[in-house]
Amino acid sequence: MDVLGSGHEQVVFCSDPASGLRAVIAIHSTALGPALGGTRFYPYASEDAAVADALALSRAMSYKNSLAGLDLGGGKAVIIGDPHTDKTEALLRAYGRFVESLGGRYLTACDVGTYNADLDVVARETRFAHGRSVAYGGCGDSSVLTAYGVFQGMRAAAQHRWGKPSLAGRTVGVAGVGKVGSWLVDRLVEDGADVVVTDVDAGAVERVLARHPAVDAVADTATLVRTPTDVYAPCALGRALDDETVAVLEAEIVCGGANNQLAHEGIAAELMRRGILYAPDYLVNAGGVIQVEDERHGLPGRLPLIPGAHAGFSFDRAKAKAETIFDTTLRVLRAAEEAQVSPAVMADRMAEERMASVGRLATLRLRRGW
């Protein structure tokens, strides 16, 4: 794997034999500010697979933070292991020391396999752990606004495709009803959508059906993509849209919370050829990073360790920022249609333009001593 040719500023390999920590921290860009991105705890099949995931996810974070209008770069960390059996206080604290050693170039938060309580432990070793528990002054569960942002993106896609920003009366298939997917189902049901779900975790499906008896469930993702729906929402792991899936997908819109949904670059063009409107994943799922970023308001350094201490986080302020995902998504979709390119291409262009322009301004200010 050509790590040096990946375009990343820095890739850090972390090993702590005493705790069993094996991790990779990838910093894609700091053009807009420190690189913010979550920590994924996952049993990768190989070190190469972990590195590849860290590189892809960190790049997507740069684009996500740019399009969200945040003064943040993009980074991501992956911890190799099973979070159910390998996660310990010693391991998380060892990881925190590696984060601290980067001096604020990388800001970490939650991702697949990590939770607010884990970041509370990481924060015992670093000033740069965010997405912490409310009891410790953090923003709490960032999946709440991740789902809210996806919902706003979906409303924008509905406006663009059908002329009305509502999912009422539409059928939405949600693949993956974990932290983000379950919150998304709540928003869709409130909006009057007919929802069909699936998940490899039968318990997750049962919890959704207990809250919403009118929701339907199918056996697996292969069944869901063949089920006629208006919107397909991938909300599990990445690469959900591959050649086989897109060939049989029965939906007019794809808009979901999963990261890195496209298995390869050609998928965006194939969706466009089939007339399926794709709302770029890193654009619509930015609500979580907006929530985490707001936690940093008024925080000059380490978060308070006293339960109940005020950390400057405002859920209402973060939610209002997440609502702008609707306007940004609509702007991307309209610009893509006008330029006759896929929304994925247009979203990349817009993110890159902001990174380049703001990055040049920051460099100029530094040279002039502003």
Side-chain angles (χ1 to χ4, degrees):
M1 180 175 298
D2 184 12
V3 176
L4 289 176
S6 67
H8 286 65
E9 293 182 10
Q10 187 175 9
V11 179
V12 180
F13 292 82
C14 313
S15 175
D16 181 65
S19 66
L21 173 72
R22 296 173 62 224
V24 180
I25 301 174
I27 297 174
H28 176 257
S29 171
T30 57
L32 298 178
L36 172 63
T39 297
R40 179 164 296 191
F41 205 132
Y42 189 76
Y44 292 96
S46 67
E47 183 178 294
D48 281 349
V51 172
D53 206 25
L55 295 179
L57 290 168
S58 57
R59 178 182 183 276
M61 288 304 303
S62 291
Y63 285 62
K64 178 186 297 189
N65 292 335
S66 176
L67 268 189
L70 303 176
D71 294 328
L72 293 167
K76 204 78 171 188
V78 298
I79 297 176
I80 303 171
D82 186 338
H84 300 292
T85 58
D86 299 329
K87 188 189 299 179
T88 64
E89 178 184 343
L91 183 148
L92 292 173
R93 292 186 68 161
Y95 169 65
R97 291 192 290 275
F98 279 105
V99 173
E100 179 66 19
S101 72
L102 294 173
R105 281 177 54 78
Y106 172 63
L107 311 177
T108 195
C110 301
D111 197 76
V112 174
T114 58
Y115 301 86
N116 300 131
D118 299 324
L119 271 296
D120 293 338
V121 176
V122 174
R124 294 170 71 178
E125 301 287 348
T126 181
R127 297 161 290 170
F128 309 115
H130 300 284
R132 297 190 53 200
S133 300
V134 173
Y136 288 91
C139 68
D141 184 3
S142 64
S143 63
V144 177
L145 287 191
T146 300
Y148 185 68
V150 173
F151 177 61
Q152 294 302 324
M154 200 178 291
R155 290 179 61 244
Q159 171 71 48
H160 187 75
R161 175 53 61 96
W162 301 308
K164 184 178 180 181
S166 172
L167 283 306
R170 302 289 179 179
T171 300
V172 181
V174 181
V177 285
K179 289 194 287 187
V180 174
S182 61
W183 285 109
L184 178 60
V185 171
D186 292 346
R187 303 288 79 76
L188 291 168
V189 170
E190 288 176 3
D191 200 40
D194 298 317
V195 182
V196 185
V197 303
T198 193
D199 197 296
V200 294
D201 181 358
V205 173
E206 290 171 3
R207 288 189 289 273
V208 168
L209 298 183
R211 289 201 312 276
H212 305 292
V215 168
D216 291 326
V218 295
D220 50 36
T221 301
T223 302
L224 183 59
V225 297
R226 290 173 170 82
T227 301
T229 57
D230 295 296
V231 183
Y232 175 57
C235 292
L237 294 177
R239 301 177 67 84
L241 300 172
D242 54 22
D243 294 299
E244 294 75 15
T245 298
V246 172
V248 299
L249 182 60
E250 293 287 337
E252 289 192 52
I253 293 172
V254 173
C255 179
N259 288 311
N260 293 341
Q261 293 170 19
L262 306 183
H264 58 79
E265 291 182 359
I267 294 295
E270 181 59 19
L271 288 168
M272 187 175 176
R273 189 193 68 79
R274 289 204 57 210
I276 299 173
L277 182 64
Y278 172 61
D281 47 38
Y282 67 77
L283 165 59
V284 302
N285 68 16
V289 75
I290 289 171
Q291 182 169 338
V292 171
E293 193 275 338
D294 193 274
E295 180 184 281
R296 301 174 65 230
H297 277 277
L299 294 179
R302 185 186 301 272
L303 283 168
L305 296 181
I306 303 173
H310 179 62
F313 171 68
S314 166
F315 182 84
D316 290 340
R317 181 174 57 208
K319 184 178 180 182
K321 176 71 173 176
E323 286 176 359
T324 65
I325 290 174
F326 176 92
D327 294 325
T328 307
T329 303
L330 201 55
R331 188 167 73 252
V332 168
L333 297 179
R334 288 172 174 170
E337 183 176 68
E338 182 177 342
Q340 296 186 327
V341 298
S342 74
V345 169
M346 183 53 65
D348 281 0
R349 285 181 187 174
M350 293 171 66
E352 288 166 357
E353 286 171 2
R354 180 169 183 260
M355 283 189 281
S357 63
V358 177
R360 283 195 297 269
L361 178 60
T363 301
L364 182 62
R365 285 175 173 169
L366 181 63
R367 288 174 180 170
R368 293 182 177 177
W370 292 1

